[in-house]
């Protein structure tokens, strides 16, 4: 460790750049930040890093904060749409044999609810939070591959629009978010509905993979000098592990959806048992992605919890190393559990028992995390503000979800509750309790950083209690009605089974829960317009994102901080040491070494460009067209090639200096 | 607040009591497999509840404490952290012990379940269709092989082996008061052994989403004493009853000359379709359209006149019939006991 030699105002590596290519390309070196006074430094950096004005400029933006804000708002809109789906379903189910909607619409609704919540809300929003926060938390000026990041947003939006326009045209998928064959296959899934599912998956996975790659490289190569592996904030660790899980899990579902569309479009019979294919193969491929998917959504939320608790418990997280190792262990183990979604398919009993054991095993690292957080809180009464309230709500609900998860891990027990409302209750406790509650806490926690204003604490408390009561009223009774024999994905049920009253109660809870989000939306808008000014660090938290102004300038940090502690702002109360030597007339970043975060080279970060948008349109158009004909790949190749050539066209800049 | 709590508690209790009367409930076991599973569910749930309460106590403790001294957050009490480390390690160790225990429990429960049907004498092949169940009783004597639909008669107190498969999409066979569920997958054959302790009617329904009418794909297991079951089997092997009245005779002619005959079979008549339920003894069944309607003259008429209204998306087409024709067909079917 060498933070000692990174003294304040120390210059970055010696001026070797002149010798690297100097003989051939005359070096056009510009002004550096070394010794520059603050006012002119701000002027220079603001001009260098700004998003260009005008509509074209806005569409060309590669600023991670701009992209992340768009992602967050879009994902929140999809959350509202998915929530509305749920409310309509709950009204239909509020009594036996209700005729509000028929099976055709109901099946589209629950499919769109699942698809929207998983692919258009949960994964994008946790990644978007990472896009916003990771570069700030590691002390760099932009995410790695900023144009790829911009591209990912446009692909995501086109995928979401594609799905919801299909829904508006009543051609939304109606085969469930898991779209099992043969129901989604060419024979039993007529029309374009299952194709919409398959291609919509492809859109969102492309986008998600792009963000994962950018996040991994940002964390591994762009950390502020001194932020060695042991000083990376837990939230950043969580995003790093999540991104690796994305990289290994998403290809499985892309293969699944591609095989499906090949079966449907060109008749490959990969999943057709009548022609030697196999329907169960689909499930294996899907759940090999599908289970890690849960952790893709959950792990970033644990990172949020690990960020919020220390700020309000007024101490660093207890068991930092244990928490990091748990994250990594969960990341690995999440790939060994997929069969527990398939216990009812009649797999050999001994084989299935191994997956019981592995599913139980993952409870241990998750338990370690829970215990470490509790131990962090044990130093005395924490400061109870809305973000922490939601974290307490997270404990209350997620632990229930985790424990019912232990129940589901048991093969015989699962055979009674699989595909019943018990499972619906379980995964909503895991996903809402485990991920949405931390996300809401995170929204209150980081809102001041993003907007420069505080959200209302009073409304926040109302929001919390409304959400807690609504959520538990809606989802807890589902455990019971599931054990009473009510299966999932039914658009109605007979009166004589006696599920009417409890379903009415559930529906009332669901409406209450939905209203809590209306209140939240109001609080967001109210906070953005009227909230009290927040200042740089309203919670007196310890990580780097609080070192810059709120909202952060386009260049994040005027001078790149030097990190000496896992909570640098607590360690350096006066002023952070900074590293200098970066050019201010070009978008320069410090690239540091993977383990020790020694400043290594200066690297240019990409400038704004409209090409990512054009490339996304070309790619999106090709995907869309491909649900109609395989020739789409041929016709689409040309525009994709053109836009990619435009994107990567050499600019004639001098090669990046060492 | 108190009033609200008492109302909430009252509602919860009422809801709970209401459900215990269910005839499709995992908590109301009527066979050895479901009993074993209900015990397992209660044990797991109880243990999980205890763990949850302990975690909540651990969470509530700091909320009761004095606020932390406004010290610098990085100034930590090393001794306290060491004590916490021991507590955390103990908790992790206990978690591991509990999880190993539950894994073993689950493993042995699975063995118990596997042993239930080891001496099953009766084999029934259940084939899933969108959205009904084809039920075929296997027998060494070909003339005793019996095909019916949706309702599965079994001898009470004897293990029965079900062979599960599907001809279209994936379904899942689930009668919670008797056993856990198992999927019916095209191209695969699954084996589920069930046993009902006492005579009775146990409802089940498809548990794997299978399309438009997944919600209305019910089934009934009707457990009867052995003698009654044998008599039922013999009755079902008989060809369809000849129409007794003129109207019913007209109904039979209509049935045989209209599209009905393309899909349905009625033993003893030229009707031999196999893509829809066998109607040879349809009137002896308790329900129509896989548990959607109870069997009655009115419901038969409703189902034939408006299948897409009763069960939207079902594969039963609307056949254009006049009122008299409809009545005649219903009169005929009603006689097929």
């Amino acid at each position: 460790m060498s933070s000692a030699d990174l003294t304040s105002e120390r210059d970055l590596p010696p001026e070797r750049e002149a010798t690297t290519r100097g003989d051939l390309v005359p070096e056009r070196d510009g002004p550096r930040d070394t010794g520059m006074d603050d006012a002119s430094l701000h002027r220079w950096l603001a001009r260098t890093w700004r998003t260009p004005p005008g509509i074209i400029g806005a569409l060309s933006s590669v600023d991670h904060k701009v992209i992340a804000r768009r992602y967050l708002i879009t994902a929140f809109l999809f959350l509202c749409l998915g929530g509305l789906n749920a409310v309509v379903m709950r009204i239909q189910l509020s009594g036996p044999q209700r005729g509000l909607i028929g099976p055709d619409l109901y099946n589209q609704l629950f499919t769109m609810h699942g698809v929207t919540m998983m692919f258009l809300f949960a994964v994008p929003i946790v990644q978007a939070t990472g896009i916003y926060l990771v570069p700030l938390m590691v002390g760099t000026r932009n995410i790695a591959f900023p144009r790829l990041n911009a591209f990912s947003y446009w692909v995501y939006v086109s995928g979401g629009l594609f799905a919801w326009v299909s829904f508006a045209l009543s051609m939304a998928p109606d085969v469930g978010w898991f779209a099992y064959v043969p129901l989604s296959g060419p024979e039993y899934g007529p029309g374009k509905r299952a194709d919409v599912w398959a291609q919509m998956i492809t859109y969102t996975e492309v986008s998600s993979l792009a963000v994962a790659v950018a996040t991994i490289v940002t964390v591994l190569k762009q950390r502020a000098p001194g932020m060695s592996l042991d000083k990376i904030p837990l939230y950043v660790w969580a995003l790093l592990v999540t991104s690796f899980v994305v990289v290994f899990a998403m290809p499985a579902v892309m293969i699944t959806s591609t095989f499906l569309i090949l079966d449907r479009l060109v008749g490959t019979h990969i999943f057709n048992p009548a022609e030697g294919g196999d329907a169960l193969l689909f499930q294996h491929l899907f759940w090999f992605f599908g289970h890690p998917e849960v952790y893709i959504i959950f792990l970033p939320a644990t990172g949020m919890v690990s960020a919020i608790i220390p700020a309000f418990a007024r101490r660093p997280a207890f068991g930092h190393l244990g928490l990091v190792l748990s994250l990594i262990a969960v990341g690995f183990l999440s790939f060994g559990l997929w069969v527990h979604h398939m216990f009812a398919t009649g797999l050999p009993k001994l084989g299935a028992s191994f997956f019981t054991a592995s599913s139980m095993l993952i409870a241990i690292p998750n338990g370690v995390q829970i215990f470490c957080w509790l131990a962090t809180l044990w130093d005395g009464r924490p400061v109870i503000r809305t973000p922490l309230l939601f974290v307490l709500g997270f404990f209350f609900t997620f632990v229930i979800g985790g424990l019912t998860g232990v129940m589901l891990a048991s093969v015989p027990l699962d055979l009674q509750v699989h595909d019943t409302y018990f499972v619906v209750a379980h995964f909503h406790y895991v996903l809402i309790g485990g991920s949405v509650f931390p996300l809401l806490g995170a929204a209150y926690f980081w809102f001041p950083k993003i907007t420069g204003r505080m959200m209302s604490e009073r409304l926040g408390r109302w929001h919390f209690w409304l959400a807690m009561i609504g959520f538990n009223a809606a989802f807890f009774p589902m455990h019971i009605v599931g054990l009473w024999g009510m299966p999932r994905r039914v658009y109605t049920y007979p009166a004589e089974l006696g599920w009417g009253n409890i379903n009415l109660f559930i529906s009332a809870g669901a409406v209450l829960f939905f209203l809590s989000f209306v209140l939240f939306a109001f609080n967001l808008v109210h906070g953005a317009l009227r909230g009290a000014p927040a200042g740089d660090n309203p919670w007196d938290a310890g990580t780097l994102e609080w070192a810059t102004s709120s909202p952060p300038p386009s260049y994040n940090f005027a001078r790149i901080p030097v990190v000496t502690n896992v909570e640098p702002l607590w360690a350096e109360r006066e002023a952070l040491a900074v590293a200098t030597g970066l050019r201010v007339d070009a978008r320069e970043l410090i690239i540091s070494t993977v383990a020790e975060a020694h400043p290594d080279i200066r690297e240019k970060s990409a400038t704004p460009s409209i090409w990512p948008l054009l490339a996304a349109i070309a790619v999106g158009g090709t995907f869309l067209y491909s649900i109609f004909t395989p020739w789409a790949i041929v016709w689409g190749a040309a525009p994709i090639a053109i836009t990619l050539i435009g994107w990567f066209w050499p600019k004639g800049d001098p090669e990046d200096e060492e | 607040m108190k009033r609200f709590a008492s109302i909430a508690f009252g509602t919860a209790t009422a809801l709970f009591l209401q459900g215990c009367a269910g005839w499709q409930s995992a908590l109301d076991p009527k066979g050895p497999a479901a009993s074993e599973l209900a015990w397992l569910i209660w044990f797991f749930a109880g243990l999980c509840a205890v763990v949850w309460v302990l975690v909540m106590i651990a969470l509530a403790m700091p909320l009761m404490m004095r606020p932390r001294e406004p010290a610098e957050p990085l100034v930590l009490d090393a001794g306290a952290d060491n004590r916490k480390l021991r507590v955390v390690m103990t908790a992790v160790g206990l978690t591991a012990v509990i999880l190993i225990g539950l894994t073993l429990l689950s493993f042995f429960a699975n063995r118990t379940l596997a042993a239930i049907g080891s001496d099953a004498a009766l084999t029934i092949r259940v084939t899933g269709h969108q959205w009904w169940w084809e039920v075929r009783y296997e027998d060494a004597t070909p003339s005793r092989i019996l095909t019916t639909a949706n309702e599965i008669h079994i001898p009470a107190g004897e293990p029965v082996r079900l062979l599960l498969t599907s001809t279209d999409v994936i379904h899942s066979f689930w009668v919670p008061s008797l056993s856990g569920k198992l999927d019916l997958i095209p191209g695969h054959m699954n084996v589920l052994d069930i046993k009902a302790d006492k005579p009775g009617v146990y409802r089940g329904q498809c548990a794997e989403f299978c399309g438009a009418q997944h919600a209305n794909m019910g089934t009934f297991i009707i457990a009867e004493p052995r003698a009654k079951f044998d008599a039922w089997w013999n009755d079902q092997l008989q060809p369809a009853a000849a129409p007794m009245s003129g109207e019913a005779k007209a109904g039979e002619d209509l049935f045989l000359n209209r599209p009905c005959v393309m899909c349905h079979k009625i033993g003893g008549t030229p009707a031999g379709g196999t893509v829809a339920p066998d109607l040879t003894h349809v009137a002896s069944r308790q329900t129509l359209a896989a548990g959607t309607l109870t069997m009655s003259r009115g419901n038969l008429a409703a189902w034939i006149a408006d299948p897409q209204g009763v069960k939207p998306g079902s594969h039963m087409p609307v056949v254009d019939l006049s009122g008299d024709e409809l009545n005649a067909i219903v009169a005929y079917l009603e006689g097929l006991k």
Side-chain angles (χ1 to χ4, degrees):
Chain A
M1 252 326 298
S2 58
S3 56
D5 61 349
L6 286 163
T7 51
S8 176
E9 294 292 327
R10 174 184 173 273
D11 259 20
L12 279 172
E15 324 280 327
R16 274 186 293 150
E17 66 270 7
T19 58
T20 50
R21 297 183 149 243
D23 296 342
L24 294 172
V25 184
E27 189 56 50
R28 289 176 289 161
D29 203 2
R32 308 269 188 123
D33 58 358
T34 318
M36 191 178 268
D37 68 282
D38 283 357
S40 42
L41 180 61
H42 283 284
R43 254 198 325 279
W44 270 107
L45 288 174
R47 206 178 69 188
T48 308
W49 287 88
R50 73 188 174 135
T51 290
I55 292 177
I56 299 292
L59 297 176
S60 307
S61 178
V62 292
D63 183 336
H64 72 101
K65 300 177 293 298
V66 174
I67 310 278
R69 275 206 306 270
R70 290 175 186 166
Y71 253 114
L72 291 169
I73 293 169
T74 316
F76 185 71
L77 291 177
F78 281 123
L79 170 75
C80 295
L81 288 173
L84 273 174
N85 278 350
V87 168
V88 177
M89 287 191 286
R90 278 320 313 177
I91 296 174
Q92 163 68 13
L93 291 177
S94 61
Q97 303 288 2
R98 296 200 65 148
L100 178 71
I101 50 176
D104 184 65
L105 181 56
Y106 188 89
N107 293 346
Q108 289 184 62
L109 279 174
F110 83 72
T111 305
M112 285 302 289
H113 174 72
V115 163
T116 303
M117 290 307 195
M118 296 300 266
F119 297 115
L120 301 178
F121 164 67
V123 175
I125 205 155
V126 294
Q127 289 196 320
T129 319
I131 293 171
Y132 197 97
L133 292 173
V134 166
L136 288 168
M137 279 191 172
V138 301
T140 186
R141 284 185 173 154
N142 203 350
I143 197 165
F145 314 131
R147 290 183 182 179
L148 183 65
N149 190 39
F151 171 78
S152 82
Y153 174 73
W154 300 119
V155 172
Y156 156 65
V157 173
S158 18
L161 280 177
F162 170 53
W164 275 86
V165 169
S166 305
F167 182 66
L169 299 174
S170 191
M171 54 179 276
D174 57 351
V175 289
W177 84 281
F178 51 96
Y180 280 0
V181 291
L183 188 61
S184 63
E187 199 173 345
Y188 300 98
K192 290 290 164 205
R193 289 177 165 184
D195 303 284
V196 171
W197 179 87
Q199 283 314 64
M200 182 265 172
I201 299 284
T202 313
Y203 279 98
T204 50
E205 305 318 324
V206 165
S207 134
S208 172
L209 278 169
V211 177
V213 169
T215 306
I216 290 172
V217 175
T218 309
V219 176
L220 292 184
K221 293 302 292 178
Q222 288 185 207
R223 299 198 307 277
M227 188 184 277
S228 50
L229 290 180
D230 59 328
K231 295 191 185 64
I232 296 180
L234 288 164
Y235 176 79
V236 176
W237 267 114
L239 262 289
L240 178 66
V241 173
T242 305
S243 300
F244 273 108
V245 175
V246 168
V247 167
F248 287 101
M250 292 295 180
V253 77
M254 288 183 71
I255 288 172
T256 321
S257 64
T258 307
F259 279 0
L260 177 63
I261 205 145
L262 283 173
D263 265 14
R264 294 180 58 89
L265 209 59
V266 294
T268 45
H269 297 301
I270 292 166
F271 298 126
N272 181 0
E275 299 289 340
D278 188 51
L280 270 189
L281 173 65
F282 182 96
Q283 298 190 19
H284 281 292
L285 285 172
F286 183 78
W287 289 115
F288 187 79
F289 142 82
H291 198 81
E293 163 89 349
V294 177
Y295 288 96
I296 290 167
I297 295 168
F298 173 63
L299 287 179
T302 68
M304 294 168 189
V305 173
S306 292
I308 294 171
I309 288 184
F312 295 99
R314 311 300 310 146
R315 59 157 290 164
F318 175 86
H320 183 92
L321 179 63
L323 285 166
V324 172
L325 292 178
S326 298
L327 283 169
I328 296 171
V330 170
F332 273 104
L333 288 173
S334 69
F335 285 94
L337 319 176
W338 81 94
V339 169
H340 76 216
H341 297 269
M342 299 171 59
F343 284 159
T345 57
L347 296 166
K349 286 191 163 54
L350 184 64
S353 293
F354 281 107
F355 286 92
T356 295
S358 64
S359 307
M360 296 274 185
L361 191 60
I362 203 165
I364 293 180
N366 282 318
V368 170
Q369 297 201 60
I370 299 271
F371 300 139
C372 286
W373 289 323
L374 288 174
T376 311
L377 289 168
W378 282 339
D379 270 1
R381 191 196 309 161
V383 185
I384 302 203
R385 304 289 294 274
T386 311
L388 189 69
L389 270 183
F390 275 101
V391 169
L392 299 178
F394 153 81
F395 279 107
F396 186 90
T397 50
F398 172 71
V399 174
I400 295 180
L403 290 166
T404 52
V406 168
M407 297 175 74
L408 291 171
S410 159
V411 178
L413 208 162
D414 180 68
L415 296 182
Q416 274 294 26
V417 291
H418 177 74
D419 270 342
T420 69
Y421 265 87
F422 188 92
V423 173
V424 179
H426 157 72
F427 70 74
H428 282 95
Y429 267 85
V430 171
L431 292 174
I432 296 181
S435 193
V436 174
F437 278 18
L439 265 166
L440 290 170
Y444 282 90
F445 189 63
W446 280 299
F447 184 86
K449 180 48 64 185
I450 297 175
T451 63
R453 291 175 184 278
M454 305 295 286
M455 285 171 79
S456 157
E457 189 69 16
R458 201 162 63 91
L459 284 178
R461 278 160 200 264
W462 273 96
H463 171 207
F464 169 74
W465 286 109
L466 201 58
M468 271 297 275
I469 294 169
F471 169 77
N472 285 292
F475 292 100
F476 194 82
M478 286 187 186
H479 292 109
I480 300 167
V481 77
L483 290 170
W484 287 353
M486 183 165 170
R488 297 168 72 176
R489 302 167 185 142
V490 290
Y491 75 99
T492 190
Y493 50 89
E496 59 268 26
L497 289 171
W499 303 330
N501 288 347
I502 195 165
N503 270 299
L504 182 62
F505 187 85
I506 291 170
S507 296
V511 171
L512 208 59
F513 191 48
F514 185 80
L515 289 179
S516 80
F517 282 91
V518 175
L519 188 61
F520 175 58
F522 174 78
N523 202 357
L524 284 173
V525 175
H526 183 264
L529 300 177
R530 300 267 174 82
D536 292 356
N537 190 358
W539 315 110
D540 188 28
T543 39
L544 279 184
E545 77 274 25
W546 304 105
T548 184
S549 62
S550 309
S554 55
Y555 46 88
N556 289 355
F557 300 93
R559 291 186 168 87
I560 302 301
V562 174
V563 173
T564 56
N565 191 289
V566 69
E567 304 276 3
L569 302 196
W570 285 347
E572 313 284 340
R573 281 295 185 185
E574 299 303 315
L576 285 172
V578 292
T580 54
L582 290 178
R583 268 168 63 171
V584 293
D585 64 335
R587 297 186 165 215
E588 277 197 347
L589 306 170
I590 297 178
I591 302 298
S592 49
T593 56
V594 171
E596 302 287 336
H598 283 310
D600 197 8
I601 49 175
R602 293 181 285 131
E603 172 78 32
K604 290 230 180 63
S605 178
T607 48
S609 161
I610 193 71
W611 285 107
L613 171 61
L614 300 179
I617 292 172
V619 169
T622 305
F623 285 165
L624 176 61
Y625 193 25
S626 74
I627 74 171
F628 298 101
T629 164
W631 285 100
I633 307 304
V634 177
W635 302 128
I640 292 177
I642 291 167
T643 50
L644 290 185
I645 290 169
W647 180 342
F648 293 109
W649 194 258
K651 305 294 184 300
D653 285 354
E655 192 41 67
D656 307 299
E657 296 97 321
E658 193 176 344
Chain B
M1 193 66 205
K2 213 169 202 172
R3 192 158 152 265
F4 174 78
S6 74
I7 291 172
F9 182 75
T11 319
T13 319
L15 287 169
F16 190 74
L17 291 176
Q18 176 198 32
C20 280
W23 54 339
Q24 179 177 318
S25 169
L27 300 180
D28 190 18
K30 301 289 187 199
S35 302
E36 174 79 16
L37 290 171
W39 179 84
L40 202 64
I41 290 169
W42 284 118
F43 185 85
F44 267 70
L47 193 64
C48 289
V50 171
V51 172
W52 183 79
V53 169
L54 290 178
V55 174
M56 286 308 108
I57 291 172
L59 179 65
M61 271 166 25
L63 304 182
M64 310 287 168
M65 286 187 215
R66 283 182 298 112
R68 188 167 188 234
E69 305 286 315
E72 264 305 299
L74 291 180
V75 181
L76 296 173
D77 178 349
D81 270 17
N82 268 332
R83 283 194 299 282
K84 282 187 198 171
L85 185 62
R86 280 198 291 277
V87 175
V88 167
M89 294 306 270
T90 314
V92 173
L94 277 175
T95 309
V97 170
I98 291 175
L99 290 173
I100 290 169
L102 291 179
T103 306
L104 289 174
L105 198 67
S106 156
F107 180 74
F108 287 111
N110 221 9
R111 285 174 67 104
T112 310
L113 293 182
I116 286 172
S118 51
D119 56 343
L122 175 63
T123 301
I124 304 171
R125 185 182 289 258
V126 179
T127 308
H129 297 274
Q130 282 181 325
W131 291 273
W132 61 284
W133 311 85
E134 180 186 340
V135 183
R136 193 169 91 143
Y137 288 74
E138 303 286 7
D139 199 283
T141 316
S143 64
R144 285 192 57 79
I145 292 174
L146 165 66
T147 302
T148 176
N150 300 331
E151 292 174 15
I152 306 173
H153 288 248
I154 59 167
E158 292 179 31
V160 176
R161 173 150 292 183
L162 302 182
L163 302 180
L164 307 174
T165 189
S166 166
T167 55
D168 43 39
V169 303
I170 301 176
H171 305 275
S172 192
F173 184 85
W174 186 41
V175 181
S177 18
L178 296 184
S179 155
K181 61 185 68 64
L182 198 57
D183 289 354
L184 297 81
I185 304 170
H188 289 253
M189 173 75 74
N190 278 328
V191 180
L192 179 69
D193 298 319
I194 55 166
K195 182 173 162 187
D197 289 331
K198 293 201 197 81
V201 179
Y202 310 107
R203 192 183 192 275
Q205 72 184 96
C206 177
E208 178 62 65
F209 179 65
C210 56
Q213 280 300 329
H214 168 59
N216 288 312
M217 188 169 163
T219 182
F220 293 86
I221 289 198
I222 299 165
E224 297 165 321
R226 184 75 205 193
K228 207 174 160 196
F229 169 74
D230 288 335
W232 172 84
W233 189 332
N234 287 328
D235 282 351
Q236 296 283 312
L237 285 171
Q238 303 304 313
M244 302 291 278
S245 65
E247 191 186 28
K249 182 73 189 89
E252 181 184 31
D253 290 342
L254 278 164
F255 189 95
L256 296 176
N257 290 300
R258 291 298 176 98
C260 317
V261 71
M262 306 296 289
C263 304
H264 291 286
K265 177 178 176 178
I266 295 182
T269 76
T274 54
V275 300
D278 186 311
L279 300 181
T280 311
H281 297 281
V282 63
S284 72
R285 301 207 274 263
Q286 302 187 353
T287 65
L288 266 172
T292 311
L293 300 169
T294 51
M295 179 63 70
S296 71
R297 186 184 170 92
N299 282 341
L300 265 173
W303 173 230
I304 295 167
D306 185 18
Q308 296 303 317
V310 171
K311 207 167 163 175
S314 80
H315 297 316
M316 169 101 164
V318 181
V319 176
D320 191 23
L321 296 169
S322 71
D324 288 345
E325 290 171 332
L326 179 64
N327 278 333
I329 288 186
V330 169
Y332 171 58
L333 292 176
E334 203 187 14
L336 299 178
K337 297 276 189 199

